Amino acid sequence: MKMELRSLLLQYEAQNHLSHRQMAKKVGVSLSTYYRWITGESVLLKRRNLDILSEILDCDVEMALANGNRLKPILGDVKAGYDLWADQQLKGYVEVGPTDAKKGDYFLRVTGDSMEGSHIFKGDLVYVQQCNEVSSGSIAVVMIGDEATIKKVSFKNDLMILEATNPKYDTKFFTPEEIEELPVRIIGRVRYVRTDFA
């Protein structure tokens, strides 16, 4: 979905606990002008406003709006392991190429080391395609109750099997009843991992 000015502004407001009035004051425009941006009635910004917004939002707003479908959000942290509550706060954006833009929807920051055998390390970003089913043997983001984890997912004899690729972690098996009750849900397929070197 193409990035819109409204989305950028509302995400920033939510992250920083600001009202529309406070945000308008911060940008230095009238509340009525700001409302026109929020409603989409006015999307043509003066250069001064573009520069101020770019500084406040810490991104090139003009580029973000032009290349919105190539800016993918970092939605928080996911554990390569277990026992981490899902954190869905917006952490920023990563720009991807035109081909990759069609392959995925968002990034998650990895914590834990259970997927090191798949070259997924703590601090890496995984690029995720949102979906609710994957083929057996795929690496996926799975919700177990409210907990998000990355695992190799397999299906055998009516069981869903979540396998770590670091041998110090146990494989977990879930029956159809457990899948329903906990619940256990696939929320995305990992397309690739991105490592940033300091």
Side-chain angles (χ1 to χ4, degrees):
M1 186 168 66
K2 192 170 175 63
M3 179 66 63
E4 296 176 348
L5 178 61
R6 177 178 188 276
S7 302
L8 284 172
L9 295 172
L10 292 179
Q11 284 166 351
Y12 183 86
E13 283 182 12
Q15 281 180 277
N16 294 278
H17 310 290
L18 296 173
S19 67
H20 293 339
R21 184 179 300 280
Q22 289 169 318
M23 188 63 181
K25 185 175 180 182
K26 191 175 180 74
V27 179
V29 296
S30 68
L31 187 57
S32 59
T33 295
Y34 189 75
Y35 271 120
R36 285 197 292 275
W37 294 351
I38 292 289
T39 61
E41 183 184 331
S42 172
V43 292
L44 295 175
L45 302 180
K46 295 176 182 173
R47 169 52 52 193
R48 175 183 167 277
N49 291 335
L50 276 171
D51 292 343
I52 291 169
L53 282 172
S54 295
E55 186 174 333
I56 291 170
L57 303 179
D58 194 26
C59 72
D60 186 330
V61 170
E62 190 171 22
M63 184 179 291
L65 297 175
N67 299 323
N69 60 331
R70 290 175 51 189
L71 280 176
K72 302 297 180 178
I74 303 171
L75 292 183
D77 303 315
V78 64
K79 184 129 185 185
Y82 296 99
D83 306 321
L84 180 82
W85 294 99
D87 175 1
Q88 302 227 349
Q89 288 188 337
L90 181 72
K91 307 287 187 178
Y93 294 92
V94 174
E95 185 172 359
V96 298
T99 304
D100 283 343
K102 299 171 187 174
K103 292 181 180 177
D105 299 293
Y106 58 89
F107 285 89
L108 291 170
R109 180 77 64 187
V110 175
T111 66
D113 62 357
S114 76
M115 296 302 289
E116 287 186 352
S118 299
H119 305 285
I120 299 174
F121 299 98
K122 182 177 179 179
D124 286 350
L125 286 174
V126 289
Y127 189 39
V128 181
Q129 177 186 32
Q130 193 170 322
C131 62
N132 54 22
E133 56 184 45
V134 295
S135 57
S136 193
S138 297
I139 295 175
V141 181
V142 182
M143 295 294 293
I144 305 170
D146 293 324
E147 177 188 312
T149 187
I150 300 175
K151 289 290 171 288
K152 183 177 176 183
V153 179
S154 302
F155 303 95
K156 188 174 183 181
N157 300 330
D158 286 337
L159 295 174
M160 178 190 282
I161 304 164
L162 300 186
E163 182 184 356
T165 57
N166 180 336
K168 75 178 187 181
Y169 291 89
D170 293 333
T171 297
K172 293 199 175 185
F173 300 84
F174 296 93
T175 65
E177 293 76 23
E178 289 172 323
I179 291 168
E180 188 71 28
E181 288 169 13
L182 287 170
V184 182
R185 295 176 293 121
I186 293 166
I187 62 169
R189 174 186 167 203
V190 173
R191 298 306 306 256
Y192 66 74
V193 60
R194 169 179 162 150
T195 301
D196 293 324
F197 296 102

